[in-house]
Amino acid sequence: MARIATQTGFADTLGTWKARWGIGRMDFLVPPGLYAIGRPTPDAPVLVTANYKMSYDIVRLTLDSRNCWLLVLETYGINVWCAAGKGTFGTGELVRRVTSSGLARVVNHRRLILPLLGAPGVAAHQVKQRCGFTVSYACIRAADLPEYLDNGLATTPAMRRLTFTLYERLVLIPVELVLTLKALAVISGLVLLACGVLGGLTAGLTAFGAYIGAVLSGIVLGPLLLPWLPGRSFAVKGAVAGLVWALCYRYLTTAAGWSIAATLAALLVLPAVSAFYTLNFTGCSTYTSRSGVRKEMRLGLPVMGGAVLAGVVVLLIGRLI
Amino acid sequence: MKGFRYLKDVATLELDRETCIGCGRCVEVCPHQVFAVADRKAGMVDRDACMECGACALNCPVKAITVDSGVGCASGMINEWLQERKLGRLGGGSCCD
């Protein structure tokens, strides 16, 4: 049985930082199977997690100086919640891993402790039927595990309440930025070229800066200011962030000599760009529903497309007259 | 969720109270406190808070709950839509695939 460390060194910290920035995020696969934390007896609790670097790290660190079993499922490097949504952190994999690890011979109880966000993938009653183990959904955050274990495996209401704090939103932003870099480089290059050809170098550079700012407003500002931006819709929140950006940028770059058409175009295009990126953040959020996002897309995407098109038309008309 | 509310009247969550046996699993697995059990029957006390993760439906031993769950991010849904029409994928990719 492999025993695992419950304290991290520099390499682990560096790894977490790299994962947050999307650098080799999938190179951290922890081999699935049963592990020992401390010196667990057959009575020690069995905790279940995913083989995503951060899931595994957070759980083992939280369990420092305790004795328990850790059953790591094969989720192909995906975190518990996303893997549960896909079904890889699921009933089938759990039952398979319980059987292949010979857990029933290692422990003399029949209880598995699962992260609450694994529940979208695991049917507790089927696990019981298929391998005899009872599933207890402990808590959402690994940080609550010590309290859960110390309180005789009792979940408090706060342990099953999702949050989306400023810090929780902040740590999601780097990877969103990295995933957008390619599209950002291509589109901002095209904006620079098109506006440069149309109105000269200054106009090109001004438009280039305006576009990058709108993307950043949608990816960084929208998510950070989420609870304070008006409306329930992510697209509306993003559009407001983009509008604020457009007005500030227009005011700060007055020296670039904005025409009325260019100002109007900026007020049409930039909020639409930000709205698109903030709408995309629904994928990271902890409270949006698929049906809600579908509704936002059905109503929002045509409006965003229309606004961008109208902005381009206004710019062209402005050049002609 | 405290400080956050998403769109009203969009969730596809349905509960068949006739079938419900009041076991309370839905209350246990819901991270947004949508359900409460009273008089041995579950009820939806905050349906608009549902994020359609599907945990309640999957863990209901008598299949009293239905919900259309699945990928909920815009780029994921655009990719689903593109793939259905065999048009390739959106660049940049999604964070969890």
Side-chain angles (χ1 to χ4, degrees):
Chain A
M1 181 78 55
R3 197 179 309 279
I4 54 188
T6 53
Q7 274 161 16
T8 49
F10 174 70
D12 298 293
T13 313
L14 179 71
T16 299
W17 188 87
K18 277 168 65 184
R20 286 284 188 212
W21 284 94
I23 305 166
R25 233 157 55 95
M26 293 309 167
D27 301 340
F28 289 105
L29 300 189
V30 182
L34 186 63
Y35 294 87
I37 289 178
R39 300 197 173 282
T41 62
D43 292 318
V46 179
L47 293 101
V48 181
T49 193
N51 74 337
Y52 175 49
K53 174 196 158 55
M54 269 187 265
S55 313
Y56 167 83
D57 270 2
I58 292 168
V59 169
R60 72 188 166 109
L61 296 188
T62 314
L63 298 172
D64 181 31
S65 72
R66 285 172 188 271
N67 300 311
C68 47
W69 305 100
L70 186 64
L71 187 65
V72 178
L73 303 191
E74 174 66 279
T75 61
Y76 307 94
I78 304 286
N79 69 74
V80 170
W81 196 3
C82 286
K86 290 172 195 295
T88 47
F89 190 99
T91 310
E93 166 62 11
L94 180 57
V95 170
R96 210 159 37 238
R97 210 50 70 181
V98 164
T99 315
S100 68
S101 64
L103 185 65
R105 294 189 303 277
V106 177
V107 296
N108 54 23
H109 60 84
R110 292 291 176 266
R111 184 168 188 166
L112 300 167
I113 298 171
L114 265 68
L116 195 128
L117 292 182
V122 177
H125 54 285
Q126 284 176 14
V127 174
K128 170 85 178 164
Q129 260 170 26
R130 286 167 59 180
C131 67
F133 276 81
T134 307
V135 168
S136 299
Y137 295 108
C139 45
I140 290 174
R141 286 160 292 269
D144 287 330
L145 277 175
E147 191 189 338
Y148 174 82
L149 294 170
D150 292 341
N151 284 352
L153 311 188
T155 304
T156 65
M159 289 183 195
R160 58 168 74 106
R161 198 172 295 141
L162 260 172
T163 54
F164 207 23
T165 63
L166 185 65
Y167 180 74
E168 284 168 337
R169 301 195 300 277
L170 181 70
V171 296
L172 297 170
I173 292 171
V175 78
E176 290 294 297
L177 280 175
V178 171
L179 288 174
T180 322
L181 274 184
K182 214 165 78 184
L184 180 64
V186 172
I187 301 175
S188 61
L190 286 174
V191 168
L192 176 66
L193 199 71
C195 292
V197 167
L198 230 91
L201 185 62
T202 311
L205 286 173
T206 310
F208 177 74
Y211 179 77
I212 290 180
V215 172
L216 291 179
S217 299
I219 296 181
V220 182
L221 220 55
L224 285 185
L225 301 180
L226 204 60
W228 303 293
L229 287 166
R232 292 174 178 230
S233 144
F234 275 48
V236 169
K237 287 172 185 285
V240 172
L243 187 65
V244 170
W245 161 250
L247 292 171
C248 291
Y249 187 72
R250 167 67 184 80
Y251 178 73
L252 292 171
T253 58
T254 307
W258 289 71
S259 63
I260 294 173
T263 304
L264 201 58
L267 291 177
L268 282 166
V269 175
L270 302 183
V273 171
S274 305
F276 177 79
Y277 281 101
T278 303
L279 175 56
N280 200 36
F281 194 69
T282 49
C284 302
S285 100
T286 57
Y287 70 101
T288 53
S289 62
R290 174 184 174 81
S291 302
V293 175
R294 191 181 286 149
K295 183 178 178 184
E296 282 210 63
M297 285 173 58
R298 206 176 47 232
L299 294 172
L301 290 182
V303 174
M304 292 174 208
V308 171
L309 200 70
V312 173
V313 170
V314 166
L315 260 189
L316 290 175
I317 293 174
R319 282 299 299 166
L320 292 176
I321 52 175
Chain B
M1 189 166 66
K2 201 165 166 281
F4 299 91
R5 294 301 288 180
Y6 198 44
L7 309 186
K8 270 189 235 176
D9 299 323
V10 288
T12 52
L13 182 68
E14 298 293 342
L15 166 68
D16 177 8
R17 280 172 60 93
E18 291 290 301
T19 315
C20 174
I21 51 168
C23 71
R25 265 292 186 186
C26 51
V27 179
E28 208 182 298
V29 299
C30 179
H32 285 302
Q33 291 70 52
V34 168
F35 298 95
V37 175
D39 300 326
R40 313 193 69 183
K41 287 279 178 195
M44 294 189 280
V45 290
D46 191 3
R47 190 164 175 274
D48 279 339
C50 176
M51 60 168 178
E52 301 180 325
C53 71
C56 54
L58 188 64
N59 279 277
C60 177
V62 291
K63 296 191 169 69
I65 303 172
T66 54
V67 60
D68 174 21
S69 57
V71 181
C73 57
S75 63
M77 283 164 71
I78 292 175
N79 277 332
E80 257 178 34
W81 186 86
L82 289 174
Q83 273 165 356
E84 274 168 25
R85 284 158 188 77
K86 299 193 167 50
L87 295 170
R89 300 176 55 87
L90 199 67
S94 175
C95 50
C96 54
D97 59 22

